[in-house]
Amino acid sequence: MFRGKKYKDSAKLVDRAKLYDPAEAMETALKTATAKFDETLEVHVRLGVDSRHADQQVRGAIVLPHGTGKKVRVLVFTKGDRVQAAKDAGADYVGDMDLVEKIQKENWFDFDVVIASPDMMGVVGRLGRVLGPKGLMPNPKAGTVTPDVGRAVTEAKAGKIEYRLDKTNIIHCPIGKASFGAEKLTENFNTLLGAIIKAKPAAAKGQYIRSCVVAATMGPGIKVNPLKLDA
């Protein structure tokens, strides 16, 4: 695989054989973030569970103390009194069947988070085939199906992220921008990992956190010591 000069220079800053403490991992990741744009730091956590079994699913949502640094566009499916509550909280788009039709007919996806009040799920369910693969389908576990749409919008705008296992039993999540600095990124990291550890399924056997890697958008992966996490 071809690697650019910047990547190779960044890779020299990382000890591939070392398991870093979280704070040190963040500081090292920031040294590798040399792109001209504000790179995102992402965490990749491999868990000792089998996502094929319903009793070993790991999924939830958490508000990061310092947000993600990303401007989040929120779409809300609701009606009645909740329409104004969603707008007051800062939702970018609010509606019901009109938005369903716009997505179906125009293939429109100019949003990052979808929230729905429970009375709308019968309608929103029709979009499962298009929203599901994009990870946008509202879900009660993630707090995106709720009667309190105003609060859900506020949390989404504040940097609420959803974590869920992929088919290879890995969770991928952003934890902020390089411009945040190591201290804020470490706090976001600890909050996310704390939530993942708390969500450990009773059916999980053996070591729960098998590996954890943090990386800037254009940088190499930095291994974080799972023994420092797996409480």
Side-chain angles (χ1 to χ4, degrees):
M1 184 187 291
F2 173 76
R3 297 290 194 185
K5 182 179 181 298
K6 281 189 175 181
Y7 182 94
K8 288 176 180 175
D9 289 343
S10 294
K12 291 174 186 174
L13 300 171
V14 180
D15 183 347
R16 305 282 294 184
K18 180 177 177 179
L19 291 174
Y20 289 78
D21 287 349
E24 191 183 5
M26 299 306 141
E27 289 171 3
T28 306
L30 290 181
K31 290 175 186 173
T32 71
T34 57
K36 290 179 181 177
F37 62 92
D38 193 4
E39 294 187 47
T40 297
L41 267 74
E42 289 196 348
V43 175
H44 310 276
V45 187
R46 187 164 65 90
L47 300 181
V49 296
D50 188 341
S51 62
R52 292 173 298 179
H53 298 291
D55 62 351
Q56 293 188 44
Q57 286 293 328
V58 179
R59 182 176 186 174
I62 187 81
V63 178
L64 297 177
H66 303 290
T68 62
K70 181 184 176 184
K71 187 178 182 297
V72 180
R73 299 165 300 175
V74 180
L75 181 153
V76 180
F77 289 108
T78 194
K79 55 190 176 184
D81 297 341
R82 296 189 180 115
V83 170
Q84 194 57 48
K87 288 180 178 177
D88 290 346
D92 298 271
Y93 310 101
V94 185
D96 45 58
M97 273 309 298
D98 56 326
L99 292 180
V100 172
E101 289 175 2
K102 186 174 174 69
I103 291 168
Q104 287 177 326
K105 293 177 181 177
E106 299 176 26
N107 203 29
W108 173 71
F109 295 103
D110 291 343
F111 45 86
D112 307 295
V113 175
V114 179
I115 292 164
S117 51
D119 57 342
M120 291 300 299
M121 285 310 292
V123 173
V124 179
R126 301 177 196 176
L127 298 172
R129 281 186 183 174
V130 290
L131 294 181
K134 294 179 181 290
L136 291 169
M137 191 66 186
N139 183 284
K141 284 187 177 178
T144 46
V145 176
T146 173
D148 193 349
V149 292
R151 180 181 175 187
V153 171
T154 300
E155 289 182 343
K157 291 282 187 178
K160 185 175 189 177
I161 59 167
E162 185 178 352
Y163 57 87
R164 60 190 295 184
L165 284 177
D166 67 7
K167 290 178 181 176
T168 59
N169 304 314
I170 298 174
I171 290 173
H172 310 272
C173 279
I175 55 164
K177 299 287 187 179
S179 58
F180 283 18
E183 189 175 332
K184 288 182 178 178
L185 287 167
T186 302
E187 288 178 19
N188 277 358
F189 173 86
N190 289 338
T191 299
L192 171 64
L193 267 292
I196 292 172
I197 290 167
K198 201 171 179 181
K200 180 180 180 179
K205 298 287 186 284
Q207 186 178 353
Y208 179 48
I209 294 182
R210 295 286 176 85
S211 67
C212 179
V213 173
V214 63
T217 305
M218 307 296 286
I222 298 159
K223 297 174 186 173
V224 184
N225 188 351
L227 297 178
K228 296 283 185 180
L229 313 170
D230 208 349

